[in-house]
Amino acid sequence: MLNPVDDALIEKLRAALPDGSLRPPEPRDLEEPRGKWHGQAGIVVSPRNTEQVAEVIRQAGQARVGVVPISGGTGLVAGQVATQGPPPILLSLDRMNAVRGVWPSENALVAEAGTILADVQLAADGENRLFPLSLASEGTCRIGGNLSTNAGGVQVLRYGNARDLCLGLEAVLPNGDVWHGLRRLRKDNTGYDLRNLLIGAEGTLGVITAASLRLFPRPTRVGTAMMVVPDPAAALDLLALAGAHLGPGVTAFELIGGQGLHFLADTGLPHRAPFADIPDWSVLIDVSAYGADDPNAALEALFAAALTAELSSDGIIAQSDGQAAGLWNIRENIPQANRLIGPIASHDIALPLSEIPGFIADMPDRLARLGDFRINCFGHLGDGNLHFNVFPVSGRSRADYPGASEAVTRMIHDRTHELGGSFSAEHGVGRAKVGDLQRYADPARLEAMRAVKAALDPAGIMNPGAVLG
Amino acid sequence: MKVLVPVKRVIDYNVKVRVKADGSGVDLANVKMSMNPFDEIAVEQAIRLKEAGQAEEIIAVSIGVKQNQETLRTALAMGADRAILIVASEDVHHDVEPLTVAKLLKAVVDEEAPGLVLCGKQAIDNDMNATGQMLAALLGWSQGTFASGLEIDGDNANVTREVDGGLQTIKVKMPAVVTVDLRLNEPRYASLPNIMKAKKKQLDEKTPEDYGVDASPRLEIVKTSEPEARKAGVIVKSVDELVEKLNEAGVI
């Protein structure tokens, strides 16, 4: 059993760390973006360097007190808030935000865990390189949290998720040891991959303090288009057509359901409606080009082919980066519109691509057995990742649907599992999906995960309650 | 009535501008170029006039390098009827000067006889804010600058302008040159079907010689330099410390 933070531990931490490293928790430390979970903490500690992080972990281990590492706090599955058990140490990485180095010729960059994602992107840009991890919260989230949750975002299709963008890590393990693994190697076959164990561990196996990251040549131009498609099956065919035309040039391929555009209009969030009439389905496509290549010409050729194949009937193409930002603004404001409308249940599922059209076509009828709902389905189609969110019908609120949330989620996750999918594509497990992991994970894998956790963190101090519960 | 809309191809306003190492100008090699945003507003306004039945034909004109074709195709896709490209430079780094542009536009106006010239109030690359005014002077036409509202009323145009402390509406006699400001409208997106149709619209290519205009530069760029980088801030712990820092900086 773990102990709560007490005065004796606070005194020891105060003695071991520089002035100003400790503070009592404030409400903002204990919240998460969806407002569904409320955390608790005995003290907030903000170390300035890796050795200080190690000191905190060692003190916590001796006192058997839980440690919840917190990065930007934008996670959607309550991995950053300790909802139960004795109040833990909240270990904030926000002061460790230095970019330690950029190696343009190696396409590598080393940043501390608390570096804001947008600052990592800027540091790469400053050397004419691209760090492709990109998500709606990039101005707030921090790279340590991105790696701990193996974040995805909008360019996974081309560049992979956070795991694929990491070359090495520096981390403090639960026993207080510092693992110096900031290698900048593409090839390093030397035994178990601790890096990939810590990525996606959501702070349950240690604290990532810095990361060596992969960079890419920066595209000289990116073209952005939104194309209307008749249905999700056509969207998938269009994705295949885009692949045939443009190969790795397709860097994002987002499916947008009409409901999301209606929500944007209903909530009055600032956006420019792309079409006079809201289409039932559309896709947002980014094409990256290098040298003197013209991405817009490529998109126009793709549209001409799509028109012939009857995969698209209408579309718009950004004529400036400002218009491109406007189109992406539509996509990125949909989650905000969802929050304003108030979902009954939100889901972040992954499916084999070929199962997606059937799933989307068939789920509304299944859900209708549980009540009348509106569904907003959008997501990273290229990655098989759907955000499949369920809302009250117009004029009603989620309070009118008592108990529906669990039943809806169960039905969606069961169906996803049946089709060979995942109940968490890019958000992680956190505390919100601990039950799902127990229910759907392969038993042998779950047992191996428990063994790893017990071996690295026998006292269970690291992010107690998250992932394995 | 014909409406003439000059459009300039400029560095995209979202691109981080880099100065060339030798300080001779801004590096434009393989950089995203787009229609000057104020010109885009002018194109949109011309289309709205046509949709309202107040204009019959919209002619987009661009003066610069051959690649300005792309900019004209954008204008055609938005809804312009035909386009004229005057190739006055072979190098994207050479900015054609406002007076040259105004003279060329005057020659086009003499040929096309539009009832209205709608221009952006300025180009976002050189910020000259001169072409529209020079053109009106060369033509001897009335001018309405910085339009945030535009109404055609018979032989007159009512132009609303954002001035200090409010809005000013002036009545100018047509034909006129009107330069447009940011808040006049929000330009439409170019639809893909319209982009395909725009490829078939007429685009004439000309040279300054065709109009008898000497396009050689009169201005010399002495130096281009980046703005001074922003200095890092400091975080203060208390109001007292803030006051102390502000005193040190001599700002209070």
Side-chain angles (χ1 to χ4, degrees):
Chain A
M1 276 303 290
L2 295 174
N3 300 314
V5 172
D6 61 11
D7 291 347
L9 176 61
I10 291 176
E11 274 322 301
K12 283 185 183 169
L13 289 171
R14 205 182 295 283
L17 299 171
D19 281 355
S21 301
L22 273 66
R23 63 174 172 83
E26 293 167 21
R28 64 184 167 92
D29 300 316
L30 307 172
E31 292 162 354
E32 50 86 31
R34 286 190 175 154
K36 281 162 70 175
W37 304 75
H38 191 73
Q40 39 167 359
I43 190 83
V44 181
V45 185
S46 303
R48 288 173 170 77
N49 59 44
T50 306
E51 192 37 53
Q52 290 173 13
V53 174
E55 183 59 28
V56 174
I57 300 295
R58 284 194 287 267
Q59 296 281 358
Q62 279 165 23
R64 293 182 86 83
V65 167
V67 177
V68 175
I70 181 158
S71 188
T74 58
L76 296 171
V77 289
Q80 71 277 46
V81 284
T83 51
Q84 288 179 329
I89 296 170
L90 208 54
L91 178 66
S92 170
L93 279 306
D94 59 355
R95 284 188 188 158
M96 291 184 60
N97 56 7
V99 173
R100 290 193 193 160
V102 188
W103 291 262
S105 62
E106 297 181 10
N107 277 323
L109 176 154
V110 171
E112 292 182 345
T115 313
I116 288 175
L117 175 54
D119 291 337
V120 178
Q121 295 166 348
L122 270 180
D125 193 67
E127 297 289 345
N128 204 19
R129 293 293 181 276
L130 172 74
F131 181 63
L133 188 65
S134 173
L135 42 153
S137 59
E138 64 198 17
T140 310
C141 63
R142 297 170 191 264
I143 193 68
N146 295 142
L147 289 164
S148 288
T149 57
N150 187 23
V154 296
Q155 301 203 86
V156 175
L157 175 67
R158 165 69 180 87
Y159 300 102
N161 45 28
R163 185 187 301 285
D164 301 305
L165 301 174
C166 180
L167 296 169
L169 290 178
E170 175 191 88
V172 178
L173 301 177
N175 64 0
D177 284 354
V178 178
W179 168 43
H180 300 281
L182 285 179
R183 295 189 165 186
R184 309 192 303 270
L185 306 176
R186 309 286 156 148
K187 291 187 163 183
D188 182 19
N189 281 354
T190 53
Y192 300 158
D193 194 341
L194 200 50
R195 172 192 59 177
N196 270 336
L197 205 52
L198 285 178
I199 296 172
E202 302 182 42
T204 61
L205 298 178
V207 185
I208 294 172
T209 52
S212 165
L213 301 165
R214 278 182 82 178
L215 305 182
F216 293 80
R218 192 179 57 180
T220 42
R221 287 194 281 174
V222 178
T224 301
M226 197 179 255
M227 297 187 194
V228 175
V229 292
D231 51 43
L236 272 182
D237 290 343
L238 182 56
L239 173 64
L241 190 67
H245 270 247
L246 300 158
V250 185
T251 43
F253 198 95
E254 298 285 304
L255 179 70
I256 298 174
Q259 188 65 65
L261 301 178
H262 281 290
F263 281 173
L264 275 179
D266 293 349
T267 52
L269 284 173
H271 75 292
R272 249 175 91 187
F275 302 104
D277 299 313
I278 289 178
D280 286 346
W281 296 101
S282 52
V283 291
L284 182 59
I285 309 172
D286 260 5
V287 169
S288 297
Y290 298 84
D293 285 355
D294 178 4
N296 279 15
L299 280 164
E300 286 163 31
L302 174 64
F303 179 71
L307 209 57
T308 310
E310 295 182 353
L311 297 177
S312 181
S313 52
D314 197 2
I316 46 179
I317 184 163
Q319 297 296 310
S320 63
D321 285 358
Q323 286 193 354
L327 293 177
W328 275 101
N329 180 47
I330 291 169
R331 164 64 184 84
E332 295 189 336
N333 267 340
I334 289 174
Q336 178 60 16
N338 286 345
R339 277 191 274 279
L340 293 173
I341 298 282
I344 293 167
S346 304
H347 311 90
D348 164 43
I349 58 173
L351 286 163
L353 284 190
S354 58
E355 300 288 0
I356 284 179
F359 177 90
I360 294 174
D362 154 86
M363 214 57 224
D365 288 343
R366 289 171 181 258
L367 285 168
R369 286 181 230 147
L370 300 175
D372 291 336
F373 303 107
R374 283 181 295 179
I375 294 167
N376 185 12
C377 175
F378 61 103
H380 318 297
L381 188 69
D383 317 327
N385 180 187
L386 296 181
H387 298 306
F388 197 87
N389 299 347
V390 179
F391 296 81
V393 290
S394 184
R396 292 169 74 186
S397 78
R398 65 183 143 193
D400 300 322
Y401 292 80
S405 177
E406 292 74 17
V408 164
T409 294
R410 175 59 60 84
M411 182 181 270
I412 289 172
H413 285 176
D414 278 358
R415 182 68 184 147
T416 303
H417 184 65
E418 263 172 45
L419 296 172
S422 168
F423 63 86
S424 185
E426 61 174 1
H427 293 169
V429 177
R431 288 172 180 78
K433 294 181 180 175
V434 167
D436 291 294
L437 184 69
Q438 298 295 326
R439 183 178 171 88
Y440 300 114
D442 175 78
R445 173 167 171 256
L446 206 49
E447 196 44 46
M449 284 174 68
R450 289 196 189 100
V452 169
K453 171 75 175 170
L456 287 179
D457 184 18
I461 60 165
M462 288 310 306
N463 209 359
V467 185
L468 285 168
Chain B
M1 175 178 78
K2 279 188 197 174
V3 179
L4 190 77
V5 187
V7 295
K8 184 174 183 185
R9 183 174 185 265
V10 297
I11 189 165
D12 190 279
Y13 79 91
N14 275 28
V15 168
K16 187 168 179 266
V17 172
R18 291 166 211 261
V19 170
K20 284 200 284 188
D22 64 2
S24 65
V26 168
D27 189 0
L28 297 175
N30 289 333
V31 168
K32 170 95 177 169
M33 305 291 281
S34 304
M35 190 190 300
N36 178 38
F38 294 110
D39 299 348
E40 210 178 350
I41 292 167
V43 174
E44 174 66 33
Q45 197 61 28
I47 298 165
R48 290 185 189 188
L49 288 175
K50 192 179 169 189
E51 285 169 349
Q54 293 179 310
E56 278 88 48
E57 190 183 26
I58 302 164
I59 306 157
V61 186
S62 193
I63 298 161
V65 292
K66 193 139 179 127
Q67 294 94 309
N68 285 30
Q69 269 193 17
E70 291 168 20
T71 315
L72 287 169
R73 291 285 172 208
T74 299
L76 292 170
M78 287 173 72
D81 296 292
R82 61 187 170 92
I84 299 168
L85 169 64
I86 305 174
V87 181
S89 165
E90 286 181 0
D91 177 5
V92 287
H93 291 97
H94 169 67
D95 192 33
V96 186
E97 289 168 12
L99 184 58
T100 307
V101 174
K103 285 177 181 171
L104 286 167
L105 288 175
K106 178 184 183 294
V108 176
V109 168
D110 289 344
E111 208 169 276
E112 298 285 349
L116 178 68
V117 178
L118 272 174
C119 345
K121 68 168 180 178
Q122 70 193 61
I124 61 161
D125 52 359
N126 61 25
D127 275 351
M128 289 277 198
N129 181 246
T131 305
Q133 293 89 328
M134 287 178 173
L135 176 62
L138 290 175
L139 288 166
W141 284 11
S142 34
Q143 58 178 299
T145 51
F146 313 114
S148 62
L150 175 65
E151 262 176 44
I152 306 296
D153 180 14
D155 290 340
N156 297 302
N158 296 323
V159 177
T160 303
R161 318 170 69 236
E162 288 179 7
V163 293
D164 285 350
L167 298 175
Q168 176 192 59
T169 303
I170 58 170
K171 182 183 272 192
V172 296
K173 201 163 165 41
M174 305 262 273
V177 176
V178 174
T179 76
V180 305
D181 211 338
L182 190 65
R183 273 172 282 274
L184 180 61
N185 62 48
E186 194 175 46
R188 66 196 62 195
Y189 290 113
S191 87
L192 278 157
N194 285 342
I195 285 172
M196 294 173 74
K197 285 178 206 151
K199 292 197 164 84
K200 298 190 184 92
K201 288 185 180 175
Q202 183 186 343
L203 194 160
D204 296 323
E205 206 177 302
K206 305 272 190 180
T207 63
E209 293 74 48
D210 293 339
Y211 296 104
V213 173
D214 173 13
S216 49
R218 296 159 165 254
L219 304 175
E220 185 193 343
I221 293 178
V222 180
K223 192 178 153 201
T224 306
S225 58
E226 295 205 16
E228 204 176 318
R230 212 178 129 212
K231 292 197 184 98
V234 282
I235 292 173
V236 294
K237 289 204 180 73
S238 64
V239 175
D240 288 345
E241 196 187 337
L242 174 66
V243 172
E244 192 184 311
K245 294 274 182 204
L246 291 173
N247 269 322
E248 273 173 32
V251 291
I252 53 171

